[in-house]
Amino acid sequence: MNTAMNEAATTGATVEAEVYDAVVVGGGAAGLSGALALSRARRSVLVIDSGRPRNAPSDGVHVYLGREGTPPAELMADGREEIGRYGAEVRTGEVVSAERDGSGFRVALADGTAVRARRLLVTAGLVDELPQVPGVAELWGSDVLHCPYCHGWEVRDQRIGVLSTGPLAVHQALLWRQWSDDVTLFLHTGPEPDDEQYEQLAARGIAVVDGTVDELVRADGRLSGVRLDSGRVFDVAALAVATRMNARADWLAPLGLELAEQVVQGTVVGRHIPADPLGKTDVPGVWAAGNVVEVSGQVMVAAAAGLRAGAAVNADLIAEDTRAAVAERRAVAEPELAPADAVSALPRASYAPFSARDEREVCERVGSTGRHGL
């Protein structure tokens, strides 16, 4: 019984025999960009995507040069078609765990199947923890917003509310003021601004409202206002909120890769995977890119990070392939210099009876300065 069959019998999982050069977990902008770089480098690539993109509620992707306003689903469909041209595969599924498998990895999916990979590229994005206010979840991505660079233009000159839930609320209100001169900061559960902040808000004409927001008011399915615990309703057409942004990567814990807190201006805004500028993590063989690393990065930033990480993964595979080729060459040509495992892995017929070193020494003895040698 082979290893895959034995493991399947033990764990109940169906393990594929093929070992991919890279398995990319997450099929968003970062994952597809990484897969594109790898597949164009003639690597075997499998993208596993849960089908639950963070930006699904949005009507379009913005600040993405050349694709401004493209619906997210259309952008991802185009990306899948592009990587398919170079042989990359895409599978819908949920990754539940990953573990070491020799020098590579075994990745288990929720449906009971498992795949093997030499390298992992984690681009699974993040999950937004929304403020627990009735109506926020229902309007998330349409009238309840978080990023002015993603959505500010679409609500320009409208009445914009900012829901305070933490120390960054004043900064958020001042930021949204660039897109409208009618901005109201609802203090809700956030801290009260200090004197300097009150002065800044007043100078920019931003109103400040005390009290807890009880619910969002809707009319014809769109946001029309916020209702405070006092019962008073304030008219707004859009509401900016701060979310806690957590990387979808808890399944990496068995590999020893723990998430770290993402801190912005002294405030924890979520959890992310620590990685270097090329996406390399502390776990050998595992790279990460996109919002799992930079929780506040936009789609175009995520795509660029995926490209960098994909190229870095390919470079690492080239280094490994080169080491293996050198070991094999030594095992054939000069078995006395090769690692014992490399030599024993070769059939006896592969051993060279007359190595390059032997030929050189014989030529020196026989031909002196007239030798051809190697």
Side-chain angles (χ1 to χ4, degrees):
M1 182 180 290
N2 63 31
T3 303
M5 292 175 64
N6 184 54
E7 185 173 1
T10 303
T11 66
T14 301
V15 186
E16 295 187 1
E18 179 180 1
V19 179
Y20 291 92
D21 286 325
V23 165
V24 180
V25 182
L32 292 176
S33 292
L36 185 60
L38 284 161
S39 58
R40 282 179 53 83
R42 308 185 72 178
R43 295 295 180 182
S44 58
V45 182
L46 173 65
V47 177
I48 302 174
D49 184 53
S50 67
R52 295 182 286 109
R54 179 194 186 198
N55 61 358
S58 300
D59 62 348
V61 172
H62 298 290
V63 200
Y64 196 127
L65 190 62
R67 299 304 298 266
E68 173 63 29
T70 302
E74 179 182 326
L75 183 65
M76 296 306 100
D78 290 347
R80 289 188 176 199
E81 189 276 330
E82 287 174 1
I83 67 172
R85 298 178 201 168
Y86 304 103
E89 302 173 34
V90 179
R91 182 178 306 178
T92 300
E94 185 79 28
V95 172
V96 294
S97 68
E99 61 186 11
R100 284 287 176 189
D101 179 42
S103 60
F105 303 92
R106 175 185 179 276
V107 181
L109 282 70
D111 63 3
T113 62
V115 296
R116 288 189 165 90
R118 296 173 63 191
R119 298 293 185 272
L120 291 181
L121 175 53
V122 183
T123 57
L126 56 81
V127 175
D128 291 285
E129 291 183 13
L130 301 174
Q132 296 300 302
V133 175
V136 166
E138 293 80 357
L139 294 171
W140 173 244
S142 56
D143 297 328
V144 175
L145 314 169
H146 71 294
C147 171
Y149 295 101
C150 302
H151 308 289
W153 177 264
E154 283 65 41
V155 296
R156 65 193 183 282
D157 298 327
Q158 299 182 32
R159 291 179 175 176
I160 300 174
V162 177
L163 185 69
S164 175
T165 54
L168 297 178
V170 171
H171 166 78
Q172 194 176 17
L174 292 170
L175 190 60
W176 280 92
R177 175 61 179 79
Q178 176 60 29
W179 282 265
S180 174
D181 60 5
D182 192 343
V183 177
T184 300
L185 174 62
F186 296 95
L187 292 184
H188 190 50
T189 60
E192 184 173 0
D194 59 28
D195 290 343
E196 181 180 5
Q197 290 173 325
Y198 266 125
E199 182 179 27
Q200 292 172 343
L201 293 167
R204 294 292 284 159
I206 298 173
V208 179
V209 176
D210 289 316
T212 302
V213 174
D214 258 6
E215 65 174 344
L216 303 191
V217 181
R218 285 175 283 179
D220 299 324
R222 301 302 301 268
L223 178 64
S224 62
V226 299
R227 178 177 284 110
L228 302 185
D229 53 0
S230 65
R232 186 177 177 186
V233 175
F234 288 81
D235 294 339
V236 295
L239 183 69
V241 302
T243 68
R244 182 179 175 86
M245 300 168 283
N246 295 319
R248 292 186 177 119
D250 289 331
W251 53 272
L252 287 167
L255 291 175
L257 187 55
E258 300 290 341
L259 301 184
E261 291 184 338
Q262 180 87 64
V263 179
V264 175
Q265 297 182 23
T267 300
V268 176
V269 297
R271 297 189 307 156
H272 73 119
I273 297 176
D276 73 9
L278 295 180
K280 187 176 182 180
T281 72
D282 292 335
V283 176
V286 179
W287 273 257
N291 286 142
V292 293
V293 175
E294 186 179 354
V295 298
S296 60
Q298 294 171 275
V299 178
M300 196 168 195
V301 174
L307 168 59
R308 287 198 304 268
V313 169
N314 183 54
D316 192 56
L317 287 168
I318 288 173
E320 181 177 89
D321 293 341
T322 302
R323 288 192 298 270
V326 168
E328 182 177 351
R329 181 180 185 279
R330 288 176 178 174
V332 172
E334 300 179 326
E336 72 278 8
L337 298 181
D341 57 348
V343 176
S344 62
L346 293 172
R348 184 65 192 174
S350 298
Y351 290 10
F354 194 60
S355 70
R357 173 177 291 180
D358 293 334
E359 181 177 356
R360 184 174 64 250
E361 291 178 352
V362 169
C363 288
E364 287 176 348
R365 293 171 184 170
V366 176
S368 184
T369 57
R371 66 189 184 276
H372 69 277
L374 286 179

